[in-house]
Amino acid sequence: MVDRYQKMTASGPGALLARRLGLPRPEILERHRPGRPVLSGPVVVDGAEGGRLTGPLRELVASLPSAASGSAGSPGSPGSPGSSGSRNATAALVFDATGITGSGGLRALHDFFHPRIRSLAPCGRVVVLGTPPEAAGGVRQAVAQRALEGFVRSVGKELRRGATAHLLLVAPGAEDAVESTLRFALSARSAYVSGQVVRIGQPVKGTAAPADWERPLEGRTAVVTGAARGIGAVVAETLARDGATVVCLDVPGQGGELRELAGRIGGDALELDITADGADGVLAEHLSARHGGVDVVVHNAGITRDKTLGRMDAAKWDSVVAVNLTAVERLTERLLETGDSGRPVLREGGRIVCTSSISGIAGNVGQTNYAASKAGLIGLVQALAPVVAGRGVTVNAVAPGFIETRMTAAVPLFVREAGRRMNSMKQGGQPVDVAEAVAYLASPGSGGVSGQVLRVCGQSLLGA
Ligand SMILES: NC(=O)c1ccc[n+]([C@@H]2O[C@H](COP(=O)([O-])OP(=O)(O)OC[C@H]3O[C@@H](n4cnc5c(N)ncnc54)[C@H](O)[C@@H]3O)[C@@H](O)[C@H]2O)c1
């Protein structure tokens, strides 16, 4: 779907008019293309004294593919001063805050970022690393580490021109599991993700850096529900780009589009209504018989039937809960059950990604049914994560905000325009933004991330 306002303000006269009137000018976001390096320019890495991650971070950042000549960024160097947008502007500012043990130490954030933040490039990145407050060594340290969240979310809101900010909370002992998340946060793959707190814990069994970060899903099989169009179709394409064989699932009425997609990406099509009686058995049988199991399950199929509660009939309530939540529970349970082969259909090291929504976090007028179903998915990933960790399986959710699809095209104009602009990016996201987040969570390298909800909403003002 075309954002006409963004197109208009990207042109010379449109940009001038927007500037004169003080209107927002949504940046054209840089997105990943195959072969594009993780870093688009120089990076500055530093840390508060005593930080346990500063050393490993310097090494890691220096090893990442970069478009900048020479190494990825000299730790502690000031970065190139000057206005953002200059050719030598800093691509990313990375700060290890794990050494901050009390509120006085928070001054290190100001000392590092104040002189550098204005030299951040368009679509630049700010990444702060901390310790989960519950793992801190005492109250004072917990206070200081919790403070990082307010800092990073505010930085995300202050940044302009498509730049983003993230906080990665790394549990003690999980230092080796940071790379996958750091790559995502620093790269153009996270174009529409900002103001997020990602917790990296002890990696599940079998977590390993992929041999090829451009094809992390090589040799793996994925299933994507609701794959015929919208976000699901782009998730299927993105997982195939990353090397997976993708089973594209959608209702029988969408068979044409589904087969076309499956053919194009070298996967197969499964026409199935996930709410039908026995759908879980049909899916399990298909995956076992054709693929010997599955490695990645993306629950993407979803519907809306909006009405305020007093006007919502029971059919609207039931259909939304059935597709968005009950079917997801049933399919997931079945794929985790031990089958005739003596093994579950979801193989060891599997990845489950649910598609929640910011409505499930913040609530929304006319969406009691939808928000309940999407909040239920958050409950599912949080409750299931510790149960399946022993099998090397992770389970997470993405929570899209306003994404340009047929679903949002159907929203009335005024509400649609408000939804597009009420975020730090001043624009709607693209389906590929959700797909990149799903691909990151699906990676074998992301085993330290489980039970979490990653918002893909351009730091929407709705919700926390
Ligand atoms: N578009 C957004 O802004 C947005 C925001 C938040 C969350 N989401 C979520 O993202 C997911 C995809 O959204 P979208 O905008 O691409 O929607 P969409 O309507 O374009 O696509 C949804 C797909 O799911 C399929 N589907 C519906 N019921 C099914 C069933 N019973 N069995 C199998 N397939 C079924 C549909 O046929 C369709 O192909 C949904 O879960 C939605 O709730 C979307």
Side-chain angles (χ1 to χ4, degrees), residues 68-94:
S69 54
S71 74
S74 55
S77 73
S80 308
S83 65
S84 68
S86 73
R87 289 193 75 216
N88 295 321
T90 314
L93 295 168
V94 180

Side-chain angles (χ1 to χ4, degrees), residues 226 229 231 250 273-274 300 355 370 374 400-401 403 405 407-408:
R229 67 177 203 211
I231 294 171
D250 212 298
D273 179 339
I274 56 171
N300 164 81
T355 310
Y370 183 77
K374 295 298 188 181
I403 305 296
T405 66
M407 191 183 260
T408 45

Side-chain angles (χ1 to χ4, degrees), residues 296-300 351-355 395-398 438 441-442:
V296 177
V297 180
V298 183
H299 292 293
N300 164 81
R351 302 279 181 263
I352 301 170
V353 185
C354 296
T355 310
V395 49
N396 293 287
V398 288
V438 170
L441 294 169

Side-chain angles (χ1 to χ4, degrees), residues 225-232 249-251 254 272-275 300-303 323-324 355-358 370 374 400-408:
T225 69
R229 67 177 203 211
I231 294 171
L249 182 156
D250 212 298
V251 290
Q254 299 281 352
L272 181 67
D273 179 339
I274 56 171
T275 64
N300 164 81
I303 61 169
V323 176
N324 295 4
T355 310
S356 180
S357 163
I358 56 166
Y370 183 77
K374 295 298 188 181
F402 184 99
I403 305 296
E404 305 279 1
T405 66
R406 276 198 228 173
M407 191 183 260
T408 45

Side-chain angles (χ1 to χ4, degrees), residues 225-461:
T225 69
R229 67 177 203 211
I231 294 171
V234 184
V235 170
E237 287 170 349
T238 305
L239 299 185
R241 175 203 71 187
D242 284 1
T245 300
V246 184
V247 177
C248 306
L249 182 156
D250 212 298
V251 290
Q254 299 281 352
E257 283 167 287
L258 197 65
R259 283 192 296 277
E260 188 277 320
L261 170 71
R264 186 155 42 83
I265 64 173
D268 58 12
L270 176 60
E271 293 179 37
L272 181 67
D273 179 339
I274 56 171
T275 64
D277 281 347
D280 53 335
V282 174
L283 177 61
E285 173 58 25
H286 180 94
L287 294 172
S288 301
R290 296 267 191 106
H291 302 279
V294 71
D295 305 287
V296 177
V297 180
V298 183
H299 292 293
N300 164 81
I303 61 169
T304 50
R305 297 288 182 270
D306 296 358
K307 276 275 180 234
T308 51
L309 188 55
R311 296 176 192 279
M312 185 183 293
D313 59 35
K316 283 196 168 54
W317 179 273
D318 288 346
S319 56
V320 167
V321 173
V323 176
N324 295 4
L325 185 56
T326 310
V328 175
E329 287 178 285
R330 206 153 50 103
L331 262 46
T332 304
E333 278 165 19
R334 182 59 176 256
L335 298 178
L336 287 169
E337 265 170 23
T338 307
D340 297 341
S341 66
R343 285 191 299 272
V345 179
L346 183 67
R347 286 189 272 257
E348 201 169 293
R351 302 279 181 263
I352 301 170
V353 185
C354 296
T355 310
S356 180
S357 163
I358 56 166
S359 285
I361 296 170
N364 202 10
V365 176
Q367 293 201 316
T368 49
N369 51 356
Y370 183 77
S373 70
K374 295 298 188 181
L377 291 175
I378 296 174
L380 176 72
V381 307
Q382 289 174 341
L384 196 56
V387 177
V388 295
R391 308 175 180 199
V393 171
T394 66
V395 49
N396 293 287
V398 288
F402 184 99
I403 305 296
E404 305 279 1
T405 66
R406 276 198 228 173
M407 191 183 260
T408 45
V411 172
L413 179 67
F414 181 73
V415 183
R416 187 164 76 224
E417 217 18 52
R420 271 187 181 136
R421 308 294 162 220
M422 281 171 54
N423 59 71
S424 297
M425 303 286 163
K426 309 285 181 240
Q427 60 191 286
Q430 296 295 327
V432 72
D433 299 326
V434 183
E436 294 286 10
V438 170
Y440 144 62
L441 294 169
S443 166
S446 300
V449 181
S450 194
Q452 303 206 30
V453 183
L454 182 65
R455 292 171 52 148
V456 184
C457 63
Q459 197 179 24
S460 168
L461 297 180

Side-chain angles (χ1 to χ4, degrees), residues 158-174:
E158 287 186 9
L159 289 171
R160 294 281 169 266
R161 307 210 56 190
T164 68
H166 294 291
L167 174 61
L168 313 187
L169 293 177
V170 185

